[in-house]
Amino acid sequence: MANSNALPIRIGLLYDFPQMGDLFAKALRMGIDEVAATGRLDRDVELIERQSQGLPSGSEADVVRAFNELRDEGVVAIAGPSISDNALIAAPLCDEARIPAINYSGGERTRSQWMFHYQVGSLEEEPPVLAARMVERGLSRAAVLFDQSPVGRRYAECFEAARARLGLQVTGTASISPLAEDAEPLLARLRDGNPDVLVYFGLGIASRATALAREALGWEVPVLANSALMFGYARPDWRDGYAGWEYIDTIADDNKMRAALAERFPHAAGGPIGCAAYDIGRLFGEGIAASEHLTRAGVADGLRRVKQLPATSGYDGTLIGFGTYDHAALKGHYLVLRQWRDGHSVQV
């Protein structure tokens, strides 16, 4: 039972993308509270939130500012950032300050000695899944459009390796600004290669321009996309442009943990970010409970002791946990092929 006279444990929330409501904080709190309800936390947990305007639309300096504010607030751990560009900035800051953090981006290169990673997608693992899907659908010639950013370039690099291994062809490639509003000239050029499929890789903002350009050109080519199309959860007005596109997600219809979360917090269970936040809260709660010393180093060690928890993301049977040299949370089949259809995301 928590001691009301003890100082609370402070956990920072480092946002690098504008928040639409308090979904992330509420879902993370629910995960922590479930561990607290077992009586294994001896004090309350306080969440300290900081908003930054990170890349690609903001700056490194604003991410550093928000991180430093959380550091000075005395947090023992941090949740965030959510975008790989910014997690690459935050990881060395965590190492220097010796503050454990769990980012929820897609890039495995964001991991470090003090930076843990809950994979909301994967820059490295999604491309092989999409290449395999091309083979399944009998599509052998791809036009590739990728964001001109660390996210887009890493996706494209990993897709090139996967398509070569599977004997697939690339008819053309083009890079696009991650903030682009007009993709029509690029798509017109890619169409000239007569590909079987258009493959989009990026953060997701430019996916809207891609959808509008495809429609303007009347190009009825099939589209495969990375987890960028998770933007459809936050932007219902973008879903019609995604109609028929297959993409990578991290929620599955057979996951029993997600079904249980849906009974208590339907909004969180309805999309990948709410599921991730809930699991990150559980990881922090279990890490604190396993800590032998209530310090930043102690919490980091506690996180490394968390093993074999059922995950709310991924197909049923996916697990979460860490290890001494293993800072990737999700183990198993956590990438889920879905499609936007009639304004809804459906599992393929």
Side-chain angles (χ1 to χ4, degrees), residues 1-2 5 12 15 83 106-107 115 120 136 141 152 155 174 183 194 213 231 236 245 247 249 259 263 272 303 324:
M1 182 178 295
N5 295 320
Y15 299 127
I83 297 172
M115 176 64 86
V120 179
E136 290 175 358
R141 293 163 47 84
Y155 272 125
N194 193 32
F231 255 105
W245 295 23
Y247 74 102
D249 209 314
E263 294 180 359
L303 286 172
T324 302

Side-chain angles (χ1 to χ4, degrees), residues 6 33 62 73 90 144 328:
D33 286 349
D62 212 45
E73 285 281 358
V144 179

Side-chain angles (χ1 to χ4, degrees), residues 71-86:
R71 177 200 62 197
D72 294 344
E73 285 281 358
V75 301
V76 298
I78 294 172
S82 64
I83 297 172
S84 294
D85 302 38
N86 303 313

Side-chain angles (χ1 to χ4, degrees), residues 201-219:
F201 292 119
L203 173 63
I205 297 173
S207 67
R208 175 61 172 170
T210 302
L212 293 175
R214 178 173 170 270
E215 181 178 359
L217 292 169
W219 190 18

